[in-house]
Amino acid sequence: MNDQVPAVIPAPVFDQERVPMLVGGSVTAGCFTVGGAGVVIGPVGMVIVAEAGDAPARSGVWSAEEVRLIGPAPAPVTERLMGSPRGVDESSLPIHIAVRVEGGVLYLGTARVSQAGTSDGVLTGCELRFEAPLSRELLNRVRPPLPPEHLPGLEWLRNVNGDRAAALEQFVSGWYPTADATESLVGDSVSRLPGGLRQLYRLAKRRPGVLGIQNRILPEPDLHTDHVGEMLVFGVENQGGFFWSLLWTLEGPEADPTVWFREFDEEPIAEQEPLSGFLLQFSLFEASMGADYLALTRKLTAPQVEQLAEALHLVPLRPFWPWAPKHFYVAPGLVMHVSSEDREAFDVWAGATHRSALDPLADLPVDWNRFDG
């Protein structure tokens, strides 16, 4: 980690002699704005100056290791970062990163392009990796943390084994921002659906993300029975490898039915929680998988998982998903799921609503593949 606090360059940076020195010439002809960040290009380098803050739609520091440039970007910036179509490759020239803060501009060091995307030849987004990661103190200066009271709370956790409908509503309402209401997701057969599904469809009218990011709860018009007409298919894997279903009858729905997991033509397996617990687990899993801020590890041992778990709250539900049973751990604004097929090597995935929500994991002795906190 780079613990050295860089010098402050008095603002505005574009008026200082240091920028022409870094880019190798006059900055007049090579100044651009990309996603709210100033970009200066010269023959020997590039300087990106972003604003301090954490708006996902604006260019800036994303984590201690990453900077994001949000397009569209003009052709000279696209060519410098991705290579010129004329065959002149300038993408290896140094890219200098700085951030405006109160009282000046902090120089953070150099970065390299790790991933970029284009549309019709225009740069739409670019991820850059710092050559020397930022210290936590410096990261907090250029990407201020969110006050804890602004993170989704854990009130729902108290209702998990009491009023699960309330727990689902509280979790979903806290995690997902509201959107314009969609057309009704329920139709004439709604009275024949269990209350848990009816509630989820109601929540999805203002928060469509609750129907899934990785896997999906089918909208009511898309519900269908299996090939023998015995099971109502209501959830599917993103590649169609498996599905979840309920026993389907013409009588009134069971209040809290068993959920059946089925892979292709294999025999169905009962999920360990009935529909009320399953919908909580599905919502937690999808919230973590679709989160903007992630913490991902390599395979962990049981003692390492115990260290992670001590920093969080266990969700008191039986394991989710027969393929690789998952337990959930949470903190304000954070969901982590842990799974293992052999109880020796464990997979861990944590998702958060804001980088600050990953703070409980920040100082643990874990080798992270990715850590957005």
Side-chain angles (χ1 to χ4, degrees), residues 26-324:
S26 171
V27 303
T28 305
C31 294
F32 307 93
T33 299
V34 182
V39 178
V40 184
I41 296 176
V44 302
M46 168 189 283
V47 173
I48 299 174
V49 183
E51 300 292 333
D54 62 356
R58 292 177 63 84
S59 300
V61 173
W62 183 259
S63 68
E65 298 181 344
E66 185 178 316
V67 177
R68 292 187 179 181
L69 204 60
I70 308 299
V77 176
T78 299
E79 291 177 7
R80 175 59 62 91
L81 293 172
M82 301 195 66
S84 171
R86 297 184 296 273
V88 179
D89 186 8
E90 298 174 323
S91 59
S92 62
L93 295 176
I95 303 169
H96 302 272
I97 309 297
V99 172
R100 294 184 185 277
V101 295
E102 185 177 355
V105 175
L106 290 177
Y107 176 75
L108 304 182
T110 56
R112 296 281 183 182
V113 174
S114 63
Q115 186 174 334
T118 62
S119 176
D120 296 326
V122 176
L123 185 74
T124 55
C126 182
E127 297 176 5
L128 304 103
R129 306 290 289 183
F130 282 114
E131 297 196 38
L134 306 181
S135 69
R136 193 157 189 82
E137 177 187 7
L138 183 54
L139 176 62
N140 287 341
R141 289 192 66 185
V142 298
R143 193 144 199 260
L146 195 67
E149 60 270 18
H150 292 172
L151 295 172
L154 296 180
E155 295 80 4
W156 60 272
L157 195 58
R158 294 194 294 267
N159 288 317
V160 167
N161 282 323
D163 186 345
R164 287 183 173 175
L168 180 63
E169 182 135 7
Q170 289 169 335
F171 172 75
V172 166
S173 299
W175 189 276
Y176 292 97
T178 57
D180 292 336
T182 62
E183 294 183 10
S184 176
L185 295 170
V186 294
D188 295 338
S189 65
V190 64
S191 62
R192 295 161 57 190
L193 298 177
L197 274 179
R198 297 201 306 270
Q199 179 192 23
L200 195 72
Y201 289 140
R202 177 177 57 80
L203 292 169
K205 291 181 66 176
R206 294 296 303 277
R207 297 172 171 87
V210 304
L211 294 184
I213 303 296
Q214 176 76 7
N215 306 310
R216 291 192 307 128
I217 299 294
L218 295 173
E220 194 273 341
D222 296 337
L223 298 178
H224 58 274
T225 56
D226 64 2
H227 64 286
V228 295
E230 293 179 349
M231 309 296 289
L232 179 70
V233 177
F234 73 93
V236 294
E237 192 251 354
N238 63 78
Q239 296 181 344
F242 60 82
F243 59 87
W244 288 286
S245 60
L246 305 171
L247 186 64
W248 182 245
T249 69
L250 297 178
E251 302 172 358
E254 186 180 343
D256 199 11
T258 299
V259 174
W260 294 92
F261 171 96
R262 189 168 189 173
E263 178 189 3
F264 302 112
D265 293 327
E266 300 293 327
E267 287 296 313
I269 304 171
E271 287 280 357
Q272 295 193 46
E273 289 288 345
L275 183 64
S276 61
F278 169 86
L279 291 177
L280 272 169
Q281 293 172 320
F282 180 89
S283 298
L284 290 166
F285 181 77
E286 293 301 316
S288 65
M289 295 300 293
D292 288 332
Y293 304 89
L294 301 176
L296 311 178
T297 71
R298 297 176 174 84
K299 293 282 187 178
L300 297 184
T301 64
Q304 288 175 310
V305 170
E306 288 180 8
Q307 283 187 300
L308 286 177
E310 288 175 359
L312 307 174
H313 301 274
L314 173 66
V315 179
L317 293 168
R318 288 167 289 191
F320 168 68
W321 201 338
W323 261 4

